[in-house]
Amino acid sequence: MESLEQIRDRLLSRYPGAELSILNNPSPSAQHSLVVGGSAAREIAAFLRDDPALQLDFCSNVTGVDWPDKEIVETTRTTIPDPAGGPPKLVEQKTKRIQPGYLEVVYHLYSMALKQGPVIIRMRTGNRTDQVTLPSLTPVWRSGEFQEREVFDLFGVVFDGHPDLRRILMWDEFKGHPMRKDYVEPDDYEWEPTPHDEVLAKAKAHYPAPAAPAAPGANAK
Amino acid sequence: MTDSANTPTPLSDADRDELRRQGILLTSLEELYNWGRSHSVWPLQFGLACCAIEMIAASMARFDIARFGSEVFRPSPRQADLLIVSGTVTKKMAPQVVRLWNQMPEPKYCIAMGACAISGGPFKQGYNVLKGIDRYIPVDVYIPGCPPRPEALLNGLMTLQEKIRGQKLTGPNAPRHLRADDACEYPVPEFGETDLVPPTNPEVWQPPTIVRPDKP
Amino acid sequence: MTNSPIVALHGTPAVAGGNAPSEICHSPLAPGGAHVRSVRDEFHGDLLEVSMGPHHPSTHGVFRMIATLDGETIVKLKPVFGYLHRNHEKIGENTTYLGSMPYTDRLDYLCSMTNNWAYALAVEKLAGQPVPERTEYLRVILAELTRLLNHTCLAGFLLQDTGASGTPLMYAFREREKILDLFEALSGSRMMCNYQRFGGCRVDASPEWLEAAKRLADGYNEFLDEYEALITGNEILMARTQGVGVMPRQLAVSAGITGPMLRAAGVDYDIRKVDGYGVYPRFNFRVPLGDHGDTYDRYMIRVLEMRESIEILRQAFAQLPSGPIMDPKAKIRGFKPKPGEAYGRIEGPKGEIGFYLISDGGANPYRYRVRPPSFINLTVLEDMCLGHSIADAVIILGSIDIVLGEVDR
Ligand code: SF4
């Protein structure tokens, strides 16, 4: 099978101006992926599916990943030559910047016809709040139908062109997207006989302190 | 026949055995009634998760729940006596479970099978997992395990039968269905924006007080 | 039938019994479980909306489908999920890599051994962890036993759905118990085995265990013969399943169907052959394919696959090498793979079960995703059911072979 670079170059010659970049995967699995800009994603996906050398007709896995805003501390080192002729001084400067977060959707593509794969493509949203629309690839691979709905439900990515975008796992009245990293779950931890750490903190906040020592099993019935 | 609640121990077991040997069967209405109830507990055919597979296994040839008169799994709650909550109750499912419970006619019993039905079990950190079905409906027997073996389910059933046999027909300890103040209908929770509303049924469940002997 | 658009079929609160008790009656087709509400005047009583589940005896758990019927014929069918959504992925991101292993047992709770393997494989890919040969063989043996178990149960449940209440399921569970005894002897638990580790497995199989497993594999063909004599040629089964729920090849590929369902549609794609993971390339076995893609084919494929599994088991017992079961360099405590990601997949009994993991270098995965085969196989449920009667929908659903723990996770 072609390498990811070859696929990218072929795509670029076919769709000049498409935003394509390769994300290297440093782990031993060496499954590198292709980051596709949202605008031309559906044509690119259809090309990957129909191209005779690739025939990626099987979209196995669709999943979302949440990358929240990250504070990045950058250290810049500058050497200032000492005017007195001594050894040059090293000055460290720390700058903080917020790297804006985004939501990412990952597609694992295989070819059933040629029995090869995977080719991994990813799409990224502009941010995590208002620019969360991505083109749906369900028109290209039907298998995205439920999986994209799941990503919509749990991560909050809105898929443009999806035939039936509704919540799938949570109920319709539900607010929020539970798989995001900053989701705060409802505080209903079960009582434990020997609470500790987090559970104890939650239990203290949640349940009234005992007025008088009661039997541990005095669980009202 | 006498009402045993008013007459203290009418016959000793030895007397009764002696009479039985003579071909005379003496019993009280209470015993007869409880004996009948306890040996034909028909469960609702209702599986939630992994534990349901062990429930099915319990009804199959090897474990044979029919020995205890409970092999008749009814698909309709209207014909069932026993709700075996066999698996994780999610918040999305909880209103349905309460509704099924409400649809069952009295006398009815509930077994919480497995760690999930008792307290959320391994999934209790889940945002969509109810931390025990006893927050909404009264539970008669708890069977721990993940999943409980079929033998454990049989043991739970025997425990329930014992409980039924020990019930008095009159007086303040009479079972729920014989009391006038019986709450036949349990409120069904609604879906809220983050959680079920209400999150518990305070009539049935109160948060237990925490007892920490070492740290006040 | 009218052509007026059907509105508001979904999006209503998930309610098993309807809102107003006065409107509920029990369906004559599916006694006890299905609650039927007649659609009001604008449909002139032509279309009927039936909500089956989440408590329904034939939905294999807490699955729900909303079917719109014209008489008895299905004109629209929408599955509703989430009644067993146990937040597996969120919990997986908050526990260590090893801590998720017992949770994978509870995904597809009939096939804990293959789930374990898929997860171990994904983590091993992520960390570049080799696996000793003996463990590879043990994994194959356990996976094929799981396949036998799963397909046997499926055949029993499918027959149950056609109305053969009890007996075929009893046969299936009789065999299941034998396999579960083996699992229990090896791992200590009947269903939730929690057996694989990254770079090995937990305990070695004793010679007695292997002897018992070999006996079971040798005797399994006999059981299959008995079962097939009862069922495969059965006229009722053929009438109920042949030509029912046909799935065309193109649709199957595009919808990401995997496993026996895909092969019943005639697509030759078995990950054991394609990826050749573990030691599968060393075994001789065939991949059965169907011609029609109907429910009967899906049943037959499973029976044929079981026969191939028995062949694989025989070869695996013959070739099983001795040696360690755990890679000596494998790390159990303080296991922290380097940043990166990996997708590992195997051919589970229900289809491609895969795990997608992203590591940020910490002790917990940054992202933990399960690729659930039975969830994705449900994509085509509506396409297969359209035009069939509501009683057929039950069988079609049964032949997809879903387990809700995996569908909703
Ligand atoms: S207690 Fe264990 S086996 Fe039972 S439903 Fe919960 S997770 Fe599954």
Side-chain angles (χ1 to χ4, degrees):
Chain A
M1 199 175 119
E2 290 172 285
S3 73
L4 211 55
E5 284 78 15
Q6 286 168 318
I7 296 175
R8 180 198 53 190
D9 295 343
R10 234 148 43 85
L11 280 170
L12 276 178
S13 63
R14 178 82 195 265
Y15 300 99
E19 307 155 46
L20 288 171
S21 57
I22 287 183
L23 185 78
N24 263 325
N25 178 359
S27 90
S29 73
Q31 292 170 339
H32 310 298
S33 45
L34 197 63
V35 183
V36 181
S39 50
R42 203 174 297 157
E43 287 94 77
I44 289 173
F47 175 82
L48 292 175
R49 183 191 60 186
D50 299 330
D51 182 64
L54 292 170
Q55 292 195 34
L56 298 165
D57 48 4
F58 169 42
C59 171
S60 163
N61 182 33
V62 181
T63 182
V65 188
D66 179 23
W67 301 97
D69 298 346
K70 223 176 13 192
E71 197 184 80
I72 294 191
V73 183
E74 275 172 351
T75 326
T76 38
R77 290 205 173 113
T78 34
T79 36
I80 305 172
D82 195 354
K89 247 200 272 174
L90 198 66
V91 178
E92 273 192 10
Q93 229 185 355
K94 287 198 172 164
T95 44
K96 280 187 189 169
R97 67 183 171 92
I98 304 278
Q99 184 186 332
Y102 52 88
L103 301 166
E104 190 176 56
V105 187
V106 187
Y107 293 78
H108 285 79
L109 311 176
Y110 287 86
S111 167
M112 277 194 187
L114 304 178
K115 299 205 168 56
Q116 59 190 18
V119 171
I120 305 167
I121 61 174
R122 326 169 83 94
M123 296 194 288
R124 290 174 175 174
T125 62
N127 59 23
R128 301 170 70 242
T129 47
D130 48 359
Q131 298 165 25
V132 289
T133 308
L134 287 176
S136 163
L137 300 189
T138 303
V140 183
W141 295 285
R142 178 78 193 281
S143 62
E145 186 179 341
F146 290 162
Q147 303 191 67
E148 283 183 352
R149 262 177 81 186
E150 189 187 318
V151 175
F152 166 71
D153 184 356
L154 302 183
F155 288 92
V157 180
V158 179
F159 288 96
D160 187 24
H162 189 283
D164 181 18
L165 199 63
R166 288 177 288 135
R167 281 198 182 268
I168 187 167
L169 292 177
M170 304 306 286
W171 53 88
D172 291 325
E173 296 86 345
F174 192 78
K175 291 258 154 33
H177 304 289
M179 280 302 286
R180 289 200 184 181
K181 292 280 175 189
D182 51 3
Y183 172 77
V184 184
E185 60 201 35
D187 182 13
D188 59 353
Y189 265 67
E190 178 56 83
W191 166 81
E192 278 186 8
T194 52
H196 51 83
D197 304 343
E198 269 172 67
V199 186
L200 179 63
K202 277 198 175 180
K204 270 185 185 163
H206 206 59
Y207 300 138
N219 175 352
K221 177 79 195 288
Chain B
M1 273 187 235
T2 56
D3 190 339
S4 67
N6 305 332
T7 352
T9 50
L11 274 179
S12 75
D13 283 353
D15 290 346
R16 216 180 284 181
D17 278 351
E18 181 55 37
L19 282 171
R20 195 170 294 151
R21 224 166 288 135
Q22 310 295 330
I24 301 166
L25 193 64
L26 260 191
T27 184
S28 66
L29 177 61
E30 178 179 289
E31 244 170 76
L32 189 67
Y33 179 72
N34 284 346
W35 173 79
R37 281 197 302 145
S38 68
H39 284 92
S40 63
V41 183
W42 287 5
L44 181 64
Q45 185 180 356
F46 168 61
L48 280 172
C50 351
C51 285
I53 304 290
E54 288 296 60
M55 183 175 82
I56 298 172
S59 69
M60 289 293 149
R62 187 181 195 177
F63 298 99
D64 196 12
I65 206 169
R67 293 176 290 160
F68 304 90
S70 298
E71 80 280 21
V72 198
F73 279 82
R74 301 314 301 180
S76 164
R78 301 285 184 207
Q79 303 160 351
D81 309 314
L82 170 63
L83 177 70
I84 303 181
V85 185
S86 54
T88 322
V89 188
T90 61
K91 287 180 183 163
K92 193 163 177 180
M93 190 65 197
Q96 270 69 264
V97 179
V98 179
R99 193 170 279 119
L100 283 171
W101 175 250
N102 282 345
Q103 286 174 352
M104 285 166 60
E106 290 277 9
K108 58 189 174 186
Y109 312 96
C110 175
I111 290 183
M113 180 184 183
C116 284
I118 296 175
S119 70
F123 294 95
K124 74 179 208 171
Q125 279 99 344
Y127 48 85
N128 190 27
V129 175
L130 187 71
K131 317 298 185 281
I133 189 60
D134 55 1
R135 294 193 172 199
Y136 288 113
I137 59 177
V139 174
D140 291 286
V141 177
Y142 296 86
I143 309 176
C146 181
R149 298 178 59 95
E151 292 97 322
L153 178 61
L154 297 182
N155 184 280
L157 187 65
M158 284 155 67
T159 312
L160 179 69
Q161 290 178 338
E162 242 160 64
K163 186 172 173 172
I164 295 173
R165 276 200 293 271
Q167 280 173 339
K168 297 263 174 277
L169 294 196
T170 51
N173 294 332
R176 198 173 46 228
H177 66 281
L178 294 177
R179 288 203 308 259
D181 60 339
D182 170 28
C184 291
E185 291 273 311
Y186 289 79
V188 179
E190 305 264 333
F191 292 129
E193 294 193 345
T194 54
D195 203 349
L196 290 174
V197 187
T200 60
N201 177 2
E203 302 262 300
V204 181
W205 187 86
Q206 291 287 335
T209 45
I210 313 165
V211 182
R212 289 188 297 274
D214 46 351
K215 286 175 233 141
Chain C
M1 160 191 166
T2 60
N3 287 325
S4 34
I6 302 159
V7 284
L9 291 182
H10 39 69
T12 44
V15 168
N19 288 322
S22 58
E23 288 178 10
I24 301 170
C25 65
H26 285 289
S27 156
L29 301 164
H35 301 288
V36 180
R37 196 182 334 159
S38 53
V39 178
R40 291 179 191 67
D41 286 351
E42 62 261 38
F43 299 119
H44 311 291
D46 277 344
L47 290 187
L48 197 69
E49 185 189 330
V50 183
S51 164
M52 277 177 85
H55 154 63
H56 190 276
S58 64
T59 54
H60 298 242
V62 286
F63 180 67
R64 177 174 176 220
M65 36 192 185
I66 300 177
T68 309
L69 302 181
D70 176 19
E72 255 193 78
T73 314
I74 296 174
V75 294
K76 180 171 177 174
L77 184 139
K78 287 287 167 213
V80 183
F81 303 93
Y83 292 100
L84 197 56
H85 178 44
R86 306 192 273 198
N87 328 123
H88 185 94
E89 293 182 2
K90 187 88 178 174
I91 292 174
E93 287 171 15
N94 292 329
T95 40
T96 56
Y97 285 88
L98 189 58
S100 288
M101 186 62 88
Y103 284 98
T104 62
D105 292 337
R106 288 153 179 82
L107 271 176
D108 170 358
Y109 31 78
L110 285 173
C111 318
S112 61
M113 286 291 190
T114 44
N115 300 345
N116 282 179
W117 188 3
Y119 180 52
L121 188 87
V123 177
E124 282 153 8
K125 269 194 178 174
L126 183 68
Q129 170 70 52
V131 182
E133 211 179 24
R134 185 175 171 87
T135 301
E136 291 283 19
Y137 274 90
L138 284 177
R139 285 181 178 183
V140 168
I141 290 170
L142 292 167
E144 294 308 320
L145 284 174
T146 307
R147 206 178 308 278
L148 289 179
L149 182 152
N150 179 71
H151 289 357
T152 309
C153 287
L154 171 104
F157 280 121
L158 187 64
L159 267 287
Q160 175 104 344
D161 289 343
T162 59
S165 182
T167 316
L169 198 59
M170 289 255 184
Y171 275 74
F173 267 65
R174 185 189 67 196
E175 298 307 308
R176 175 179 181 265
E177 289 292 339
K178 291 181 191 164
I179 299 178
L180 289 192
D181 281 351
L182 286 178
F183 285 178
E184 188 178 8
L186 189 62
S187 75
S189 172
R190 282 157 56 86
M191 282 170 71
M192 307 302 177
C193 301
N194 183 16
Y195 181 69
Q196 309 296 354
R197 289 291 177 267
F198 315 132
C201 57
R202 200 150 50 86
V203 278
D204 200 356
S206 64
E208 295 78 31
W209 187 89
L210 288 169
E211 200 45 53
K214 210 183 289 176
R215 260 203 312 278
L216 180 122
D218 287 338
Y220 218 82
N221 261 327
E222 223 167 277
F223 158 72
L224 285 180
D225 291 341
E226 182 191 15
Y227 203 74
E228 278 208 82
L230 281 172
I231 286 159
T232 303
N234 183 308
E235 234 172 271
I236 301 175
L237 180 79
M238 294 210 255
R240 288 295 306 274
T241 56
Q242 287 185 348
V244 172
V246 176
M247 181 171 53
R249 285 173 69 148
Q250 253 70 36
L251 179 67
V253 173
S254 157
I257 307 300
T258 45
M261 263 186 86
L262 177 74
R263 295 190 284 277
V267 183
D268 176 15
Y269 194 78
D270 185 323
I271 299 171
R272 288 177 292 177
K273 292 271 190 201
V274 175
D275 280 10
Y277 59 94
V279 285
Y280 273 115
R282 299 188 198 171
F283 301 123
N284 252 329
F285 65 100
R286 295 171 302 171
V287 178
L289 296 179
D291 288 334
H292 313 91
D294 58 2
T295 307
Y296 189 76
D297 273 13
R298 289 197 278 278
Y299 159 75
M300 266 328 282
I301 289 283
R302 274 150 180 143
V303 175
L304 294 174
E305 264 185 20
M306 281 197 268
R307 300 215 186 251
E308 294 302 320
S309 287
I310 297 169
E311 281 310 306
I312 298 177
L313 279 173
R314 286 216 181 105
Q315 296 170 38
F317 287 127
Q319 297 175 16
L320 180 70
S322 57
I325 51 158
M326 197 72 201
D327 185 53
K329 293 215 194 71
K331 234 176 150 187
I332 302 263
R333 270 170 224 292
F335 178 77
K336 284 183 188 167
K338 294 201 188 66
E341 60 173 57
Y343 177 68
R345 58 175 197 164
I346 68 165
E347 178 76 31
K350 298 192 163 59
E352 170 186 336
I353 168 135
F355 285 81
Y356 174 59
L357 300 162
I358 300 182
S359 163
D360 59 355
N364 301 351
Y366 183 80
R367 177 81 178 99
Y368 170 93
R369 149 87 180 168
V370 188
R371 189 245 186 229
S374 40
F375 176 59
I376 296 165
N377 287 356
L378 277 173
T379 311
V380 289
L381 179 65
E382 180 174 17
D383 305 63
M384 292 198 292
C385 288
L386 289 186
H388 288 295
S389 74
I390 183 87
D392 289 337
V394 170
I395 304 179
I396 294 171
L397 179 72
S399 74
I400 297 180
D401 191 9
I402 59 168
V403 160
L404 265 294
E406 184 182 83
V407 172
D408 292 340
R409 283 151 293 136

